[in-house]
Amino acid sequence: MKKRVLITGAAGFLGSHLVDRFLDEGYLVIGMDNFITGSTDNLSHLSGNPNFDFIEHDVTEHIDIKGNLDYILHFASPASPIDYLKIPIQTLKVGSLGTHNCLGLALAKKATILIASTSEVYGDPLVHPQSEDYYGNVNAVGPRGVYDEAKRFQEAITMAYHTFHKVPVRIVRIFNTYGPRMRMNDGRVIPAFIGQCLRKENLTVFGDGSQTRSFCYITDQVEGIYRLSQSNYSQPVNIGNPSEISILDFAKEILQLTSSNQEIVFEGLPKDDPLKRRPNIDLAKKLLGWEPKVLRTVGLQKTIDYFAGLPEEKWYQVEHKKFDDFIKK
């Protein structure tokens, strides 16, 4: 019998790529999403695929799946500041109630569960680069706390289910990931810069641009997550690209790749915005035999081509209807 996997957040950027990967690996895949930040466009290519089923559902409500499950991948969550600052309570609920529901389902089905944690659990780090044994520097009551603490709680309850109920768990700490199917309006730096270039706007850099990030292309990220899912390691694992660049230099790189001549303008740095972000991936190398392969310039060109190929009205779209409707509730 084919193995069966449930992927929450399946209509999102990362979730939809994971759906594709598990289908390619021969799994029967059930996707679940409530479309607050996900899009049907990300799954439209799977229409009629007999190995894929979709359930529109909010994971903070009880989850009922008929039949067996071998794996659960919990990727439902707002993942960008523009989202979780607008829906802070839902962000906390999906990290707590949503994770609790997924863990309960894993226990009932005797399934392995992989949860999507984040580099944000390290906060504004005092250790650089960040390895899995670093406990982090997080402001629980700051504007980013709703996301950071949701993910830290998610890790804690996952480990509690592992130690108390013996549920097999996997925890991936995802560092900045990019590629096709990102939302141009999600507030993250790559779609923001590319969108500004396409719209012939000046590029906005927060602070003086000396803060650093490390960007991992989607195919590399999916490969790392898939390998982790197939391992028997229950502790957190960083998956990201250690190639570090300042935001100012990154803006210049985007301008060059898009052949744009706009200016770079500076605005104030948001509160608690991390000044350094770079993963230590020694554990992933040793445990999974994994490291990123896609050069940043190659991945960026693919991402630029994707956004340039979208209908022009999407370059200007601020929100989508599901998100707007949810905000109004």
Side-chain angles (χ1 to χ4, degrees):
M1 292 179 62
K2 288 187 175 182
K3 291 185 177 180
R4 201 161 174 246
V5 57
L6 168 67
I7 301 178
T8 72
F13 161 55
L14 189 47
S16 64
H17 283 282
L18 285 166
V19 168
D20 290 343
R21 177 57 184 269
F22 275 82
L23 285 170
D24 289 344
E25 295 291 340
Y27 283 76
L28 298 174
V29 178
I30 304 168
M32 182 174 287
D33 207 297
N34 62 357
F35 296 115
I36 293 177
T37 59
S39 171
T40 55
D41 293 345
N42 293 337
L43 299 174
S44 60
H45 63 289
L46 299 176
S47 177
N49 188 320
N51 293 324
F52 178 67
D53 289 318
F54 183 81
I55 302 171
E56 184 172 352
H57 183 70
D58 185 339
V59 297
T60 64
E61 305 292 336
H62 175 72
I63 303 172
D64 183 24
I65 301 293
K66 304 299 183 185
N68 70 297
L69 278 178
D70 297 283
Y71 288 91
I72 298 170
L73 275 66
H74 181 33
F75 279 73
S77 176
S80 69
I82 199 171
D83 292 336
Y84 58 71
L85 293 178
K86 287 185 177 181
I87 48 173
I89 295 173
Q90 176 66 15
T91 300
L92 286 161
K93 286 175 67 177
V94 76
S96 53
L97 298 177
T99 304
H100 190 200
N101 287 336
C102 289
L103 287 163
L105 183 63
L107 177 62
K109 299 291 185 179
K110 297 181 172 58
T112 297
I113 182 169
L114 184 151
I115 66 157
S117 187
T118 171
S119 59
E120 296 294 335
V121 300
Y122 300 121
D124 187 7
L126 304 177
V127 171
H128 192 72
Q130 296 83 57
S131 59
E132 292 85 352
D133 58 359
Y134 175 52
Y135 293 162
N137 177 40
V138 175
N139 179 3
V141 297
R144 303 173 72 99
V146 294
Y147 184 67
D148 299 359
E149 294 299 348
K151 291 296 187 179
R152 286 160 70 94
F153 176 85
Q154 184 183 56
E155 289 193 12
I157 193 172
T158 297
M159 288 308 300
Y161 263 76
H162 176 64
T163 56
F164 189 78
H165 289 301
K166 310 304 179 188
V167 172
V169 303
R170 313 285 180 261
I171 301 172
V172 57
R173 288 180 179 163
I174 298 168
F175 282 69
N176 294 70
T177 304
Y178 70 100
R181 301 183 195 165
M182 294 187 86
R183 282 168 40 219
M184 186 173 284
N185 61 342
D186 78 354
R188 284 180 278 195
V189 65
I190 288 180
F193 281 172
I194 295 174
Q196 288 174 325
C197 286
L198 290 174
R199 295 188 299 268
K200 306 300 182 184
E201 299 170 358
N202 292 331
L203 270 63
T204 304
V205 169
F206 295 101
D208 62 5
S210 62
Q211 67 271 33
T212 67
R213 294 295 183 269
S214 305
F215 301 104
C216 185
Y217 190 64
I218 183 63
T219 54
D220 284 334
Q221 183 65 237
V222 166
E223 178 66 27
I225 292 170
Y226 181 78
R227 291 192 189 192
L228 179 59
S229 74
Q230 304 303 301
S231 76
N232 59 2
Y233 190 74
S234 59
Q235 297 291 319
V237 178
N238 289 340
I239 299 292
N241 193 321
S243 177
E244 186 178 13
I245 186 172
S246 75
I247 294 299
L248 181 57
D249 286 342
F250 186 64
K252 295 175 181 177
E253 189 169 90
I254 293 287
L255 288 171
Q256 182 178 14
L257 286 171
T258 56
S259 301
S260 302
N261 58 7
Q262 289 98 292
E263 296 182 358
I264 296 173
V265 297
F266 298 87
E267 294 188 5
L269 191 68
K271 182 175 174 56
D272 297 333
D273 193 52
L275 298 181
K276 296 284 185 181
R277 185 56 56 78
R278 177 188 172 194
N280 179 318
I281 60 169
D282 290 348
L283 179 59
K285 288 181 179 179
K286 179 180 178 181
L287 178 70
L288 309 175
W290 175 88
E291 59 183 315
K293 304 294 185 184
V294 180
L295 294 175
R296 187 174 61 245
T297 53
V298 174
L300 283 174
Q301 191 60 62
K302 292 181 179 180
T303 309
I304 291 166
D305 292 344
Y306 166 78
F307 281 122
L310 293 175
E312 191 169 331
E313 62 267 20
K314 291 199 173 184
W315 300 354
Y316 299 88
Q317 190 177 37
V318 177
E319 299 292 359
H320 57 83
K321 188 174 185 303
K322 281 278 187 179
F323 193 91
D324 287 343
D325 290 346
F326 188 83
I327 290 291
K328 293 173 183 176
K329 290 183 179 179

